[in-house]
Amino acid sequence: PIHIMAKRIHSIYLSLLAMGLLPIAGFAQAASLAAKPSELSTGGGSVEIMVQLSYTEAPSAVGWTIILPEQWSLVEVAGEDVPQIAPVGGETGELDFAYTSVPKQKAQFEITVRYPENPGNCSVGAVAFLRGSQGLLKVVPDPLKLSPRAN
């Protein structure tokens, strides 16, 4: 499952690059995912993922799709700039978020997700979407790679 998701994200990235959508000069942007804690418990548990998108030109629309590993589920959405459109707790797979009121310089929020026992090495993927003066941009951050804590 991890390698399939990585191939999918890589394929999306290459397609966007070929279409000339990554990046567009004059509309600098950066997207990232970070986890707290950075290691997973073999007994299962939850992890907080910080989602951040920064930009130099205020977009008219911002959205995210976050791709969770199998058997992972959303617990809650919180933080500085919570999207007005967000999935509810318990949802799995691809989680879609959108802002109806776009933050000025960055869009940042956290999601808490639950993962199962013996999670193994996992990867959380994402795609951010921005609409600005130069059209629709899709920004693909590096996948968030998570591993079980060493005993």
Side-chain angles (χ1 to χ4, degrees):
I2 294 171
H3 68 281
I4 292 170
M5 184 171 55
K7 284 182 181 179
R8 181 175 173 202
I9 291 170
H10 184 71
S11 175
I12 291 169
Y13 179 79
L14 291 178
S15 296
L16 295 171
L17 192 60
M19 291 186 288
L21 295 176
L22 294 176
I24 294 177
F27 193 73
Q29 68 281 329
S32 64
L33 302 174
K36 181 179 170 183
S38 59
E39 296 178 318
L40 305 175
S41 168
T42 56
S46 62
V47 63
E48 185 178 289
I49 299 173
M50 185 186 342
V51 181
Q52 183 172 322
L53 177 66
S54 57
Y55 29 83
T56 56
E57 177 186 311
S60 59
V62 171
W64 278 91
T65 295
I66 298 174
I67 306 158
L68 298 179
E70 287 185 35
Q71 300 180 351
W72 286 43
S73 62
L74 179 67
V75 174
E76 70 175 337
V77 182
E80 190 175 317
D81 302 310
V82 175
Q84 291 79 24
I85 300 170
V88 296
E91 291 196 33
T92 62
E94 291 188 13
L95 307 177
D96 294 318
F97 301 84
Y99 288 91
T100 57
S101 178
V102 178
K104 291 191 187 296
Q105 294 180 328
K106 68 178 178 178
Q108 178 176 308
F109 62 98
E110 294 86 35
I111 61 171
T112 301
V113 294
R114 184 169 289 119
Y115 58 89
E117 289 183 6
N118 303 313
N121 294 326
C122 299
S123 183
V124 176
V127 179
F129 302 90
L130 299 93
R131 181 170 302 282
S133 63
Q134 299 181 11
L136 180 66
L137 296 175
K138 296 179 184 179
V139 184
V140 181
D142 291 336
L144 177 61
K145 297 179 187 295
L146 298 165
S147 301
R149 186 173 24 246
N151 292 332

